[in-house]
């Protein structure tokens, strides 16, 4: 080694650039809203013109306020949206953690 301190930053150029995309409303004529707690999904929704909603208890893990997400999705439909997307990430997290029993248990929780 060269005796230098370890790198603690990666600087990228134009990583946030993207081509403009038509919104869901423009492309399909639908009013879409989402209930989510994960920043990538919330950002993707905004990029696609989907009305993104989150609340303090919404996370991307097993501790998420699942009932709150379902309540919000129903509220968004009652407000007149054609489609309400409810994002649940915990099953993916549990799979990455190699926890099949936890994933099965969480799927049962969603199913209830």
């Amino acid at each position: 080694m060269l005796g230098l301190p370890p790198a603690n930053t990666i600087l990228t150029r134009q990583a946030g650039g993207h081509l403009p995309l038509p919104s869901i409303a423009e492309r399909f004529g639908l009013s879409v809203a989402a209930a989510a707690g994960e920043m990538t999904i919330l950002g993707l929704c905004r990029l696609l013109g989907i009305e993104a909603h989150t609340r303090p208890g919404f996370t991307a893990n097993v501790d998420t306020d699942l009932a709150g997400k379902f309540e919000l999705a129903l509220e968004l439909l009652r407000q007149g949206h054609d489609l309400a997307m409810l994002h649940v990430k915990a099953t993916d997290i549990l799979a990455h953690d190699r926890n099949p029993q936890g994933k099965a248990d969480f799927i049962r929780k969603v199913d209830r």
Side-chain angles (χ1 to χ4, degrees):
M1 298 311 249
L2 299 175
L4 299 172
N8 61 6
T9 301
I10 296 174
L11 179 62
T12 59
R13 300 281 183 214
Q14 298 182 347
H18 65 83
L19 298 174
L21 297 171
S23 72
I24 298 293
E26 292 168 339
R27 182 142 187 208
F28 300 106
L30 296 172
S31 171
V32 183
E38 200 270 327
M39 297 309 290
T40 304
I41 296 300
L42 293 168
L44 183 60
C45 287
R46 291 181 185 110
L47 180 68
L48 295 173
I50 296 170
E51 192 177 296
H53 296 266
T54 191
R55 293 185 178 160
F58 293 2
T59 71
N61 215 325
V62 295
D63 65 346
T64 194
D65 177 6
L66 200 53
K69 284 182 179 179
F70 278 99
E71 289 170 13
L72 178 56
L74 286 172
E75 182 182 318
L76 294 169
L77 290 172
R78 288 185 190 114
Q79 290 174 3
H81 292 285
D82 299 307
L83 178 67
M85 182 182 87
L86 190 159
H87 182 252
V88 177
K89 175 99 176 145
T91 53
D92 188 42
I93 299 294
L94 290 162
H96 288 300
D97 290 345
R98 297 181 180 179
N99 184 348
Q101 186 59 54
K103 182 174 179 172
D105 292 343
F106 197 83
I107 290 171
R108 285 187 199 94
K109 182 177 178 181
V110 171
D111 208 26
R112 281 192 299 275

